[in-house]
Amino acid sequence: HYGPTYNAYLNNDDYNGFDHSLSATLGYRGPRLTATLGGNYGRSRGVNRYYGSSFVERQNFGGSLSAAYRISPKTSLDGSLTYSMSDSPSNSEGQSYGGYDSFTAGLSALWKATPLLTFGPGLRYTMQMGDTQNDRSTNGPTLRASYQVSRKVSLDATVGLDFVSYG
């Protein structure tokens, strides 16, 4: 999927230009294993309220891998890994802003309680590192639930307890 966006500034034509987003997904569905691999790239430019009134350009990259393995007709293991990073942009005056990296891993054991309801416990770990902030790691237990509303629609929810530590 590719999505360009053109931004036009009425008061400053120098800021006009395109933002870009690109993503791709590859999937596998076997008798017991289902897996999805994805990646994305984004480039945005413009005035950003988080960086003051300066014009900045930022690039974001990311990737993910998720897999589900069916152990039996009623139990399965689900796992996921995600990574994202953002470069360290600088504004039109040469001032640099910090980039960041983020990594998340999760694992859940799910039980099919009814033909429509699946739930189970899990664990999640996240590490966030930034150029201008302390490193932060978060881990803790989760509880996931999924309700199949129809053949094509399901409601999924995850709740968890976070234990956070800072570098």
Side-chain angles (χ1 to χ4, degrees):
H1 177 261
Y2 172 68
T5 304
Y6 185 77
N7 297 307
Y9 293 85
L10 299 176
N11 294 333
N12 194 337
D13 292 343
D14 294 337
Y15 292 170
N16 294 353
F18 279 97
D19 289 350
H20 304 277
S21 66
L22 177 68
S23 63
T25 305
L26 178 65
Y28 169 79
R29 180 169 293 169
R32 288 186 176 258
L33 177 67
T34 302
T36 304
L37 176 66
N40 60 66
Y41 166 77
R43 180 178 159 267
S44 60
R45 50 194 310 277
V47 178
N48 186 314
R49 68 177 183 220
Y50 296 113
Y51 303 124
S53 60
S54 302
F55 181 79
V56 296
E57 292 187 35
R58 170 160 247 148
Q59 295 186 80
N60 301 301
F61 302 91
S64 64
L65 173 64
S66 62
Y69 183 76
R70 188 171 47 86
I71 297 170
S72 74
K74 289 199 170 220
T75 58
S76 64
L77 285 176
D78 278 17
S80 65
L81 299 170
T82 59
Y83 174 76
S84 63
M85 68 87 61
S86 179
D87 68 351
S88 180
S90 58
N91 64 17
S92 50
E93 289 85 40
Q95 179 183 5
S96 180
Y97 299 99
Y100 71 88
D101 292 277
S102 176
F103 170 78
T104 302
L107 182 66
S108 298
L110 300 173
W111 178 61
K112 191 169 190 131
T114 71
L116 303 177
L117 178 65
T118 303
F119 69 93
L123 294 171
R124 182 181 58 219
Y125 172 79
T126 300
M127 179 64 166
Q128 297 171 324
M129 300 152 286
D131 295 338
T132 60
Q133 63 191 28
N134 290 332
D135 293 352
R136 174 185 164 174
S137 65
T138 306
N139 59 60
T142 59
L143 179 62
R144 291 182 48 200
S146 178
Y147 183 76
Q148 194 70 39
V149 177
S150 70
R151 229 178 104 226
K152 293 186 176 187
V153 177
S154 68
L155 299 174
D156 299 325
T158 302
V159 295
L161 188 60
D162 287 343
F163 297 97
V164 180
S165 63
Y166 290 92

